[in-house]
Amino acid sequence: MERYSRQIMLPEIGNEGQKKLSEASVLLVGVGGLGSPISLYLTGAGIGRIGLIDADVVSESNLQRQVLYTEQEIGLPKVECAKRQALSGNIQIDTYQEFFSEKNAMSLVEKYDLVIDGCDNFATRYLINDCCVAAGKPYIYGTIGEFFGQASVFNYQGGMTYRDLYPDEQELTSKPRTINGVIGVVPGIIGCIEASETIKVITGCGKPLRNRLFTIDVLSMQSEILEF
């Protein structure tokens, strides 16, 4: 357990918490800007099994914020590159080079203890939410854009769901998809918060963002937590 000794010495984690982490399984939907820090830090924490689903390949424009990847990996499948970068001999990493869709979503969600949002569109978030509600799995949520980010924990211990926060699916999903700018550090910040919330939910330490929404604006460094 030398690898996790600095974590185990925390009384909130300890040997029992580390055992819970090693026995846990999580599904990460998307290994881009958010998924990069999430996968790295959850691998570092000793999560027993991590599923990575993403149909995309590495592109040059990804490198500004998707810290898992290198120039030499441009054109290669993200899930396979992510598996190599985050690889640990103690951890099982499952890869799915496909879109998270209605065809595979429920069967994938049922295989893991919780689901983490690393995606970039409303339709996928509603799908994650509905599958997690149906399967009784927590949903670790994060979203980013420009200089802003949000994070929360949905469907946890009877708490609010994504649909409670954003009830009008038709309005959000009907908007044309656009490519917006983002400063690279924002997905790093929100991805780390999602990883932290995952660890808290698994080990039972601290106070997860249940019925709360964390927001941050890095231009002003103003952050707040909205209670629901």
Side-chain angles (χ1 to χ4, degrees):
M1 302 294 285
E2 176 65 21
R3 184 182 188 118
Y4 310 112
S5 60
R6 291 298 183 93
Q7 189 164 277
I8 292 170
M9 70 173 59
L10 296 169
E12 294 84 356
I13 303 292
N15 286 309
E16 182 179 351
Q18 192 62 50
K19 185 173 185 292
K20 290 178 180 179
L21 291 169
S22 69
E23 294 174 348
S25 60
V26 304
L27 177 65
L28 174 55
V29 181
V31 282
L34 290 170
S36 291
I38 292 169
S39 57
L40 286 171
Y41 279 102
L42 292 186
T43 302
I47 299 288
R49 183 162 69 101
I50 302 175
L52 307 175
I53 179 166
D54 196 313
D56 204 2
V57 298
V58 179
S59 67
E60 186 173 6
S61 65
N62 297 151
L63 303 180
Q64 163 255 4
R65 67 201 175 281
Q66 299 182 18
V67 295
L68 273 176
Y69 311 116
T70 67
E71 291 180 351
Q72 290 70 37
E73 293 171 322
I74 291 172
L76 299 178
K78 286 184 179 179
V79 291
E80 295 303 325
C81 297
K83 181 176 181 177
R84 287 197 295 270
Q85 293 288 359
L87 185 62
S88 166
N90 302 322
I91 293 169
Q92 176 182 333
I93 299 181
D94 309 323
T95 58
Y96 308 95
Q97 191 188 354
E98 54 191 294
F99 291 105
F100 187 81
S101 68
E102 292 184 357
K103 294 182 179 179
N104 59 19
M106 197 65 204
S107 62
L108 286 171
V109 168
E110 288 176 336
K111 294 179 182 179
Y112 298 88
D113 297 328
L114 56 82
V115 181
I116 310 169
D117 184 352
C119 71
D120 61 358
N121 65 87
F122 292 111
T124 302
R125 293 191 186 104
Y126 281 108
L127 182 58
I128 293 172
N129 177 81
D130 294 349
C131 289
C132 285
V133 170
K137 307 293 177 73
Y139 167 18
I140 312 298
Y141 160 76
T143 186
I144 53 98
E146 300 177 334
F147 297 93
F148 311 100
Q150 297 181 346
S152 189
V153 176
F154 296 127
N155 201 44
Y156 178 57
Q157 295 182 344
M160 65 183 292
T161 72
Y162 183 74
R163 286 189 181 275
D164 294 325
L165 184 64
Y166 296 109
D168 198 339
E169 177 181 4
Q170 183 175 0
E171 179 186 357
L172 292 177
T173 57
S174 63
K175 293 179 179 180
R177 291 194 62 180
T178 58
I179 298 176
N180 297 317
V182 62
I183 189 170
V185 297
V186 173
I189 292 167
I190 298 300
C192 285
I193 290 172
E194 288 186 82
S196 176
E197 292 301 297
T198 300
I199 292 169
K200 287 157 63 180
V201 167
I202 291 171
T203 62
C205 75
K207 182 181 179 182
L209 287 168
R210 174 185 176 273
N211 291 348
R212 299 187 296 158
L213 179 70
F214 171 86
T215 69
I216 187 169
D217 173 359
V218 301
L219 281 180
S220 64
M221 285 312 294
Q222 180 176 352
S223 65
E224 60 182 327
I225 294 180
L226 307 176
E227 304 271 352
F228 296 94

